[in-house]
Amino acid sequence: MKKHSVVIVDDHLLFAQSLQGLVNAFDEFEVLYHVKNGSELIKKLLESENVPDIILLDINMPVMNGFETMEWIKENRPSIQVLALSMDDHEETIIKMLRLGAKGYLLKDIHPEIFYKALNEVISNGIYYSERVATTLLNSLHGNDEKEVANGKPLKDTELTFLKLACTEMTYKEIAQEMCLSPKTIDGYRESLFKHFKVKSRIGLVLYAIRNNLVNSK
Amino acid sequence: MKKHSVVIVDDHLLFAQSLQGLVNAFDEFEVLYHVKNGSELIKKLLESENVPDIILLDINMPVMNGFETMEWIKENRPSIQVLALSMDDHEETIIKMLRLGAKGYLLKDIHPEIFYKALNEVISNGIYYSERVATTLLNSLHGNDEKEVANGKPLKDTELTFLKLACTEMTYKEIAQEMCLSPKTIDGYRESLFKHFKVKSRIGLVLYAIRNNLVNSK
DNA sequence: GAATGAATGGGGATTTTTCCCCTTTTCAAA
DNA sequence: TTTGAAAAGGGGAAAAATCCCCATTCATTC
């Protein structure tokens, strides 16, 4: 029986190496290779005709993160089953990744047996949702429509730009100059995002953005 | 030859399991057991007379984190060599952990061979500093005295309490009420921390606190 | 006892943030 | 071509944050 091939994309070498050992311990799976980020993955995929069955994709990586990488895979190698792999259990991150086409979302603190189950499920069913991820998805649907819009709708480019700058020590006046807009327009963005995220102050906005990975916190 | 015994403390089961496989693959080491947090570790240490040689200690854990656990080990099982294990490469975290008595600080993205080297070093030399950690330590010493004081001196309890509350949507007035102090005293803390951390605004303070794990960002 | 320094707190001014109500411009759908 | 919604921008005021200078208390040290 031919083993299902797995590729690991994770910048934490220790984790990647350990994970590779774990996967190889399963009879049905074997690791083709592992790479440190999306760029390296794409290079490997382009230069090799050996297409993996499954990609285990970390989200938080330097150089090219999981979201960008997922987009590329969806566009160029749609047949590969991608399982997102992250420590981040925030709703927005999970939803974003699944919308981009990931077939499952594994939290790094799951039990190895569940991990094994996930690999099998994604091969046989083309999808794997853990209970926790399914619950998260349900919760996001059960909220009122307002919240659904709030958490599901992607931010416009200008809003995201503003949000990133709001997560710095710049004043709104400086942000306005930076974005070549009137301070009043910036004030409009601010008010809009306050309502959108249900926060009461710029501090709340920054905390929300960081907690939900809308900006790089580090 | 008796193998050196290793205990893993990490809430990421997948990582812990994988790491266990890696350690067991080394001839000189074997994993005694792994636990999910500090509380479980202490329970195991107390009920078993089999004292491990090395503890691999994650820092970010629910229930009982790495700092608290380290303090307990230093107090009650000082003979055990503890290697801190974290994704967090921020200066304050590293220094805090080493001051608490960790014999080394491993970043989770290190190469498995370096990991192997670290295990051996901590057995033979009682200490292992990676180049990156050593550099971080050096940088923290090479800064001017002001910075050394700023980054090395632990915060007073009141300041830390204020800092945590400042990382919420509360106004200073509300924080003052919460801490049963005059708003003016709070203003003093604020100004002091601004200078201490070289930030210009409350936003800057929040970002600094989160980036340096002075508060829980999530 | 005097000096030093930290913790606490006040006065007061300026800047920034926050909020609400409004107008103009733009741009695409009807 | 109209119309309607979204984006951009404005006025103005209240609240919060920021800053600087200073007073009191209290313990420690010289």
Side-chain angles (χ1 to χ4, degrees):
Chain A
M1 185 198 71
K2 191 182 167 296
K3 293 189 177 190
H4 300 297
S5 55
V6 177
V7 163
I8 298 170
V9 188
D10 197 317
D11 61 313
H12 298 101
L13 292 182
L14 192 51
F15 179 73
Q17 182 91 2
S18 309
L19 191 60
Q20 174 163 357
L22 186 66
V23 171
N24 283 334
F26 300 146
D27 283 344
E28 302 90 335
F29 301 93
E30 66 178 347
V31 173
L32 274 184
Y33 49 83
H34 67 77
V35 291
K36 288 205 298 291
N37 55 57
S39 300
E40 289 191 12
L41 173 72
I42 291 174
K43 199 159 62 179
K44 283 288 249 178
L45 288 177
L46 288 177
E47 75 189 14
S48 159
E49 67 274 9
N50 199 347
V51 178
D53 299 310
I54 298 176
I55 291 176
L56 298 174
L57 182 60
D58 187 30
I59 294 179
N60 298 307
M61 294 178 293
V63 183
M64 182 169 180
N65 69 32
F67 299 120
E68 299 164 322
T69 310
M70 188 67 238
E71 280 175 350
W72 188 92
I73 296 171
K74 210 59 213 160
E75 193 73 29
N76 299 278
R77 294 289 186 281
S79 70
I80 304 177
Q81 312 283 30
V82 178
L83 284 174
L85 198 57
S86 173
M87 313 227 301
D88 179 359
D89 66 348
H90 285 93
E91 194 175 302
E92 301 226 350
T93 311
I94 294 176
I95 291 177
K96 187 169 175 186
M97 206 60 194
L98 295 179
R99 286 198 177 189
L100 286 175
K103 296 304 170 52
Y105 193 104
L106 302 179
L107 298 160
K108 283 187 177 173
D109 61 355
I110 63 168
H111 194 279
E113 293 204 7
I114 308 232
F115 174 62
Y116 178 62
K117 189 177 161 195
L119 289 181
N120 277 304
E121 287 271 317
V122 85
I123 288 293
S124 59
N125 297 337
I127 200 164
Y128 172 81
Y129 282 2
S130 71
E131 193 183 319
R132 205 155 131 202
V133 167
T135 304
T136 300
L137 284 178
L138 277 181
N139 283 341
S140 99
L141 290 177
H142 277 326
N144 55 37
D145 280 350
E146 240 176 39
K147 185 163 184 280
E148 162 64 12
V149 169
N151 285 340
K153 189 172 62 181
L155 294 180
K156 277 156 285 190
D157 279 350
T158 44
E159 285 179 329
L160 191 57
T161 305
F162 161 72
L163 185 55
K164 284 181 197 228
L165 294 176
C167 294
T168 70
E169 289 193 89
M170 293 169 86
T171 66
Y172 290 138
K173 201 192 293 182
E174 291 168 334
I175 293 175
Q177 284 176 359
E178 178 75 20
M179 292 180 70
C180 300
L181 289 169
S182 152
K184 276 300 176 179
T185 304
I186 293 303
D187 193 47
Y189 291 166
R190 179 196 58 75
E191 209 155 10
S192 159
L193 287 185
F194 273 29
K195 286 190 180 119
H196 195 65
F197 295 143
K198 306 192 193 312
V199 298
K200 292 175 173 50
S201 67
R202 183 169 169 184
I203 299 291
L205 192 63
V206 169
L207 292 173
Y208 184 92
I210 288 178
R211 288 202 245 267
N212 292 282
N213 272 15
L214 299 176
V215 301
N216 284 329
S217 70
K218 309 202 170 179
Chain B
M1 186 197 71
K2 189 181 168 299
K3 293 188 176 188
H4 300 297
S5 54
V6 177
V7 163
I8 298 170
V9 189
D10 198 316
D11 61 313
H12 297 100
L13 291 182
L14 192 52
F15 179 74
Q17 182 90 1
S18 309
L19 190 61
Q20 174 163 357
L22 186 66
V23 171
N24 283 333
F26 301 145
D27 284 344
E28 302 89 337
F29 301 93
E30 66 179 346
V31 173
L32 274 184
Y33 50 83
H34 65 77
V35 291
K36 288 204 298 291
N37 55 58
S39 300
E40 290 191 12
L41 173 71
I42 291 174
K43 199 159 61 177
K44 283 288 252 179
L45 288 178
L46 288 177
E47 75 190 13
S48 158
E49 68 273 10
N50 200 347
V51 178
D53 298 311
I54 298 176
I55 291 177
L56 298 175
L57 181 61
D58 187 30
I59 293 180
N60 298 307
M61 294 178 293
V63 184
M64 184 168 178
N65 68 32
F67 299 120
E68 299 164 320
T69 309
M70 187 68 237
E71 282 176 348
W72 188 93
I73 296 170
K74 210 59 214 162
E75 193 73 26
N76 298 279
R77 295 288 187 281
S79 69
I80 304 177
Q81 311 283 30
V82 178
L83 283 174
L85 197 58
S86 173
M87 314 227 301
D88 179 359
D89 65 349
H90 285 93
E91 194 175 302
E92 301 225 352
T93 311
I94 295 176
I95 291 176
K96 186 169 175 186
M97 206 61 194
L98 295 179
R99 285 199 178 189
L100 286 175
K103 295 304 171 50
Y105 193 105
L106 302 179
L107 297 160
K108 282 187 177 173
D109 60 355
I110 63 168
H111 193 281
E113 293 204 7
I114 307 229
F115 174 62
Y116 178 61
K117 189 177 160 196
L119 289 181
N120 277 304
E121 286 273 315
V122 85
I123 287 293
S124 60
N125 296 338
I127 200 163
Y128 171 81
Y129 282 4
S130 72
E131 193 183 318
R132 207 155 130 200
V133 167
T135 304
T136 300
L137 284 178
L138 276 180
N139 282 342
S140 98
L141 290 176
H142 277 326
N144 54 38
D145 280 351
E146 239 176 39
K147 187 162 182 281
E148 162 64 12
V149 169
N151 285 339
K153 189 173 60 179
L155 295 180
K156 277 156 285 190
D157 279 348
T158 45
E159 284 179 329
L160 192 56
T161 303
F162 162 72
L163 185 56
K164 283 180 201 246
L165 294 175
C167 293
T168 71
E169 289 194 89
M170 292 169 87
T171 66
Y172 290 138
K173 202 193 291 181
E174 291 168 335
I175 293 175
Q177 284 174 359
E178 178 75 23
M179 292 181 69
C180 300
L181 289 169
S182 153
K184 276 301 178 181
T185 305
I186 293 303
D187 193 47
Y189 291 167
R190 180 196 58 75
E191 209 154 353
S192 160
L193 286 185
F194 274 28
K195 288 193 179 110
H196 195 64
F197 295 143
K198 304 191 195 313
V199 298
K200 291 176 173 52
S201 68
R202 184 169 167 183
I203 300 290
L205 192 63
V206 169
L207 292 173
Y208 184 92
I210 288 178
R211 288 202 245 267
N212 292 282
N213 273 14
L214 300 176
V215 302
N216 284 329
S217 71
K218 310 202 168 180

